[in-house]
Amino acid sequence: MNNRCNGWLKINQLHLVLSATIVCIVCFFWGLMADAAKMPEIQDRGYLTIAVKDNLRPLGFRDVHGNLQGLEIDLAKRLGFDLLGKPDSVRLQPVANADRLSVVLNQKVDLTIARVTATESRSRLVSFSVPYYLDGSVIITNDAAIQQLSDLANRKVAVIKNSSTIAHIRYYVPKAELVGVNSYQEGRRLTENKTVVAFAADASVLSGWVQEYPQYRLLPTKLSTEPLSVVMPKGLQYDQLRRQVNQAIAQYIAEGWLQERLEYWGLP
């Protein structure tokens, strides 16, 4: 609990520094170009429109009845209630990975909460909230002999080609033999047929595997920290919306609601 809170504080400090150094002229021109709903307009309308994932357990997915569930769904609904003061005040719009930023830029939604990592390059286009989850690289295995990182020395570990996870594995387990894969599905197939003893990728995705396939388990060490944040529009006209979202998430962290939701959805 303390480590997670300390991690959040550090990421939040970095986020504030990053936000303060964004070039002002970029903010100005995006403010002219974008026209997503401002907070008074959202209040008059009576609901928020939020882009989410519908195929990524445990962040955003459909249950057996077709209802949207997951950590990000809970967060979207809580934000809608707290910002507008009434239930059923959010409309969820499933979004593909490639469109997570563009739906905000093209005024199709007010916010995106869809496993978006806050990065410097993305922050030139959109604004990011304080992080609601610290994602990062983890290792999953179905081999009982693999209990800790050192057990991976001289063993084959699958990683997604060109991913940042490769550098993390090489740092923590330099003697591991890396096997590049093109997708999570290919990584699982190689793990299932014992071509590799483990698969390294994002915690937010692999946690869902553990829930769906109980023969898998995560090794306890997280290899990196990457902040997941709410995507918000740039421009001074959206300052009230951004402030209220940030204040709400800070409150959820302080009161322990986010931690409870993380534990409920099995996120490390």
Side-chain angles (χ1 to χ4, degrees), residues 235-254:
L236 292 176
Q237 65 269 44
Y238 309 113
D239 184 61
Q240 182 183 357
L241 173 62
R242 291 195 298 267
R243 279 202 324 269
Q244 290 190 230
V245 169
N246 279 323
Q247 289 169 357
I249 295 175
Q251 176 187 337
Y252 304 156
I253 294 171

Side-chain angles (χ1 to χ4, degrees), residues 159-161 180-187:
V159 291
I160 293 179
K161 293 176 181 177
V181 296
N182 293 310
S183 65
Y184 280 86
Q185 292 75 15
E186 185 180 356

Side-chain angles (χ1 to χ4, degrees), residues 34 54 62 87 109 117 154 168 189 203 219 245 249 251:
D54 66 349
R62 295 192 183 275
V109 298
T117 302
N154 303 313
H168 302 145
R189 179 175 58 80
L219 295 189
V245 169
I249 295 175
Q251 176 187 337

Side-chain angles (χ1 to χ4, degrees), residues 6-227:
N6 289 336
W8 255 314
L9 289 173
K10 292 178 181 177
I11 293 297
N12 290 346
Q13 291 169 353
L14 289 173
H15 173 79
L16 292 174
V17 171
L18 176 61
S19 298
T21 58
I22 295 173
V23 182
C24 294
I25 193 170
V26 175
C27 297
F28 175 75
F29 280 112
W30 276 113
L32 291 178
M33 294 170 64
D35 194 27
K38 309 168 192 68
M39 196 61 213
E41 295 170 356
I42 293 170
Q43 290 169 334
D44 290 341
R45 180 209 296 158
Y47 61 87
L48 279 166
T49 57
I50 301 180
V52 296
K53 297 296 295 179
D54 66 349
N55 59 355
L56 185 62
R57 179 190 285 264
L59 296 183
F61 65 101
R62 295 192 183 275
D63 63 17
V64 294
H65 303 293
N67 300 315
L68 285 167
Q69 302 286 338
L71 172 70
E72 293 177 335
I73 308 304
D74 290 348
L75 177 59
K77 291 179 177 178
R78 177 78 188 265
L79 281 173
F81 179 82
D82 288 346
L83 268 60
L84 297 173
K86 62 179 184 178
D88 302 320
S89 54
V90 63
R91 296 187 180 180
L92 303 177
Q93 179 177 313
V95 66
N97 283 347
D99 300 326
R100 291 173 297 174
L101 301 188
S102 65
V103 289
V104 173
L105 292 172
N106 296 331
Q107 313 153 34
K108 294 181 179 179
V109 298
D110 300 311
L111 307 169
T112 290
I113 311 178
R115 191 175 166 261
V116 180
T117 302
T119 66
E120 185 175 2
S121 59
R122 288 171 173 170
S123 71
R124 297 190 180 99
L125 302 176
V126 296
S127 290
F128 287 109
S129 72
V130 295
Y132 58 84
Y133 176 58
L134 300 182
D135 202 359
S137 299
V138 295
I139 297 170
I140 197 168
T141 184
N142 59 2
D143 189 329
I146 306 300
Q147 296 293 326
Q148 54 191 354
L149 294 180
S150 59
D151 295 332
L152 296 172
N154 303 313
R155 306 295 298 275
K156 292 184 177 179
V157 178
V159 291
I160 293 179
K161 293 176 181 177
N162 302 315
S163 68
S164 60
T165 302
I166 295 172
H168 302 145
I169 289 289
R170 284 177 173 163
Y171 178 81
Y172 282 98
V173 197
K175 293 185 179 180
E177 182 180 344
L178 303 187
V179 177
V181 296
N182 293 310
S183 65
Y184 280 86
Q185 292 75 15
E186 185 180 356
R188 180 169 173 263
R189 179 175 58 80
L190 294 185
T191 309
E192 284 289 325
N193 64 26
K194 306 299 182 182
T195 301
V196 299
V197 297
F199 178 36
D202 291 336
S204 56
V205 178
L206 297 186
S207 296
W209 284 23
V210 174
Q211 296 171 22
E212 290 189 80
Y213 311 108
Q215 68 270 31
Y216 285 97
R217 55 190 168 77
L218 296 176
L219 295 189
T221 304
K222 185 180 282 189
L223 308 182
S224 64
T225 300
E226 299 170 1

